[in-house]
Amino acid sequence: MAEASVVHAVDRRLGSRQLAALLHGTSGEHPGYRALAHGVRTLLLDGRVPLRTRLPAERELATALGVSRATVTAAYDVLREGGYARSRRGAGTWTELPEGQRPTGVSVFPAGDGVLDLASAAPGAPEPELAAALGSAAAMLPEHAPTPGYHPYGIPELRAAVAERFTRRGLPTLPDQILITTGAQHALSLTLTLLGRQGDRVLVENPSYPNALDAIRGAGLRAVPVPVTEDGWDSGLVESSLRQAAPRIAYLVPDFQNPTGCLMPREQRVRILETARATGTWLLIDETIADIALDVPPPAPFASLASHGTAEQVVTVGSLSKTHWGGLRIGWVRAGSRLITELAMKRVPSDMATPVIEQLVALHLLRGMDEVLRERLPMLRAQRDALAASLARHLPEWRWQSPPGGLSLWVDLGRPVASALAGAALGHGVRVEGGPRFGADPGTHEHRLRIPFVLSPELSEQAVRRLAAALAGDLRPLNADRAHRSWVA
């Protein structure tokens, strides 16, 4: 049998030893056929084994697991009967999901008063600082009012302030390496459409930020998912996928990954940079949550570890949405100056420029960002701990790992009821989003919820009580005609 392999990102084949390694601890060392089937199903729903992956031949997997071939044959039969696998004569057995098991949404926006929003991982605005920033913007506006007001690159003052912050974080940056955008989502979409062509592959984390996944699909790009678990990234799997799939772009959230909260270690970052240089892959790094460091020092920019030859392949996006306020639609791209020019030209036909007034507000907030974080981070840390305490008190069977930063918990419900629970929770006055919304493959992560800790401890307690009441009720899957993508942040 061949050496241990990873998911082959070209033909989607899974090596038997790789699957055996994933199954270790899931089905036991010598599992019975039902336990083996359950283990494969769990890995599939958790996104660690992608959809449309060819499972190992029965004899190979039996050898890797140390069980009889009859055990594997019976397990594959159970998977096929449950709709989690299908076989084609001469083509092997492939993973799939039962008919109709697809992502479901519960609402586009909160419906009515009293609904507690746990679908938006974004804090409210720091009101005193925002008021001061509005006053400062009003005072500066007469300097800009005589001009036409179109700045496709962003106003020079804000570009310089963003560049200066990158420099202070350890990544020397010039203003002409910065493009101001209308939020980080705009920055992502703009970069994807410039760098990618329809049909190109994009390496993505699984799970990942839903709006980024939507932007990738909307651009006609093909996702190559690599799993991110509570333990983080598998360096070998990421590197193998980069080499074998040769994706045009890799979209990564290395800093308090959304939704898992994981922080990528320095050595993994270096290895990914080296592999991307060898494969010629653009690295699109989302640092929107990088400043929300709760238990660790704030990480240096990913691009600061790049060698001179690789630095031009790294594009970094960020915004003020998570540190300050999502209602202030200010984001940015940090890249080589030539690429920034191309991005600015690309945006003009659809966007023209980011509003000047909002940029002036952002300029004031960015200059006082350290002061805002000194106040916000302890508050978010307390809210995280309060949410965890409420969950432990009212839903003790749920499991999670406390993230070192970010804005949410990635909670394991212990059974695949996330979509049904999200639907029931809305009837109890809570809007929450199930794990499938974050999956690169539809229908996966059905046993997960992302629960942000952006509410006050008192409101979090209410929300958890309502979730517990919804869970205790009659959970019914949403009908297919009611399924739709819900709005998350």
Side-chain angles (χ1 to χ4, degrees):
M1 186 170 56
E3 288 297 316
S5 61
V6 297
V7 177
H8 196 301
V10 178
D11 66 10
R12 312 291 281 167
R13 183 174 184 178
L14 189 72
S16 57
R17 291 187 183 175
Q18 175 68 14
L19 182 56
L22 290 173
L23 285 167
H24 180 69
T26 302
S27 301
E29 186 138 348
H30 296 290
Y33 75 95
R34 290 193 180 278
L36 176 56
H38 174 75
V40 174
R41 185 169 60 246
T42 298
L43 294 172
L44 177 61
L45 291 173
D46 198 30
R48 300 183 70 184
V49 172
L51 291 178
R52 297 171 295 280
T53 295
R54 186 165 63 180
L55 291 169
E58 294 172 2
R59 189 184 304 277
E60 291 184 354
L61 185 56
T63 300
L65 289 173
V67 299
S68 69
R69 182 177 178 181
T71 298
V72 177
T73 300
Y76 281 10
D77 286 341
V78 171
L79 291 169
R80 283 189 288 266
E81 290 168 5
Y84 292 93
R86 58 184 171 82
S87 296
R88 297 195 302 244
R89 185 179 296 276
T93 301
W94 297 71
T95 59
E96 64 175 17
L97 288 174
E99 186 67 27
Q101 186 162 338
R102 293 293 182 267
T104 54
V106 295
S107 180
V108 177
F109 296 103
D113 295 335
V115 174
L116 298 175
D117 189 2
L118 290 179
S120 296
E127 295 182 17
E129 290 80 4
L130 182 60
L134 286 167
S136 175
M140 297 177 67
L141 195 56
E143 302 173 24
H144 293 266
T147 72
Y150 297 110
H151 296 274
Y153 290 90
I155 62 172
E157 302 97 317
L158 185 55
R159 296 179 76 197
V162 173
E164 193 271 336
R165 182 161 183 83
F166 271 110
T167 299
R168 283 196 290 119
R169 292 178 58 216
L171 179 61
T173 302
L174 298 173
D176 65 2
Q177 293 177 278
I178 299 297
L179 175 76
I180 303 301
T181 60
T182 311
Q185 185 65 25
H186 177 217
L188 285 170
S189 298
L190 188 64
T191 304
L192 288 168
T193 55
L194 177 67
L195 297 181
R197 298 291 182 269
Q198 191 160 6
D200 281 350
R201 297 184 181 90
V202 179
L203 184 143
V204 298
E205 298 155 334
N206 190 20
S208 187
Y209 181 51
N211 295 327
L213 295 173
D214 287 345
I216 289 167
R217 298 182 189 110
L221 305 172
R222 292 186 291 165
V224 177
V226 293
V228 179
T229 70
E230 291 173 330
D231 297 323
W233 296 256
D234 183 325
S235 295
L237 186 55
V238 175
E239 292 169 36
S240 178
S241 296
L242 285 171
R243 293 184 185 279
Q244 296 177 16
R248 172 73 173 167
I249 306 166
Y251 169 69
L252 302 173
V253 188
D255 305 309
F256 317 121
Q257 198 261 355
N258 188 358
T260 67
C262 293
L263 178 63
M264 184 182 289
R266 175 188 172 94
E267 57 271 18
Q268 285 190 331
R269 299 175 187 232
V270 172
R271 289 176 62 179
I272 289 173
L273 282 163
E274 292 172 349
T275 306
R277 180 180 184 182
T279 60
T281 302
W282 287 94
L283 294 176
L284 178 52
I285 305 299
D286 189 340
E287 289 190 349
T288 307
I289 317 178
D291 287 301
I292 312 298
L294 302 179
D295 298 331
V296 294
F302 190 98
S304 66
L305 300 176
S307 63
H308 179 72
T310 313
E312 291 295 310
Q313 291 176 228
V314 183
V315 180
T316 305
V317 301
S319 79
L320 292 179
S321 296
K322 306 301 186 182
T323 55
H324 290 75
W325 189 38
L328 186 66
R329 303 306 302 145
I330 294 292
W332 51 79
V333 181
R334 193 269 182 198
S337 56
R338 179 176 178 178
L339 185 65
I340 291 297
T341 297
E342 293 175 0
L343 288 167
M345 294 172 64
K346 184 77 173 178
R347 81 177 296 182
V348 168
S350 60
D351 177 70
M352 295 290 286
T354 302
V356 170
I357 294 176
E358 281 83 346
Q359 292 189 69
L360 293 174
V361 172
L363 177 63
H364 179 90
L365 292 174
L366 197 64
R367 287 171 174 170
M369 189 169 184
D370 291 340
E371 288 74 17
V372 169
L373 289 174
R374 271 195 290 271
E375 181 177 337
R376 292 216 131 184
L377 295 184
M379 179 189 70
L380 289 170
R381 192 180 299 115
Q383 290 175 183
R384 179 198 61 188
D385 297 344
L387 173 61
S390 293
L391 289 171
R393 187 161 48 248
H394 300 292
L395 293 159
E397 69 276 16
W398 289 5
R399 296 289 180 266
W400 64 90
Q401 289 190 10
S402 183
L407 293 162
S408 57
L409 302 180
W410 185 234
V411 178
D412 185 346
L413 309 180
R415 54 194 177 113
V417 296
S419 294
L421 177 57
L426 190 60
H428 286 75
V430 176
R431 192 173 82 94
V432 69
E433 193 52 60
R437 188 68 177 90
F438 301 84
D441 286 322
T444 56
H445 307 292
E446 257 295 344
H447 62 301
R448 294 277 186 176
L449 284 182
R450 187 193 71 168
I451 307 182
F453 41 83
V454 295
L455 300 180
S456 69
E458 295 76 20
L459 290 179
S460 285
E461 173 73 11
Q462 289 185 37
V464 172
R465 285 179 179 272
R466 295 179 187 183
L467 285 176
L471 186 66
D474 185 14
L475 296 183
R476 298 181 179 180
L478 296 182
N479 296 328
D481 59 353
R482 292 175 56 201
H484 58 274
R485 290 191 178 276
S486 60
W487 182 89
V488 297

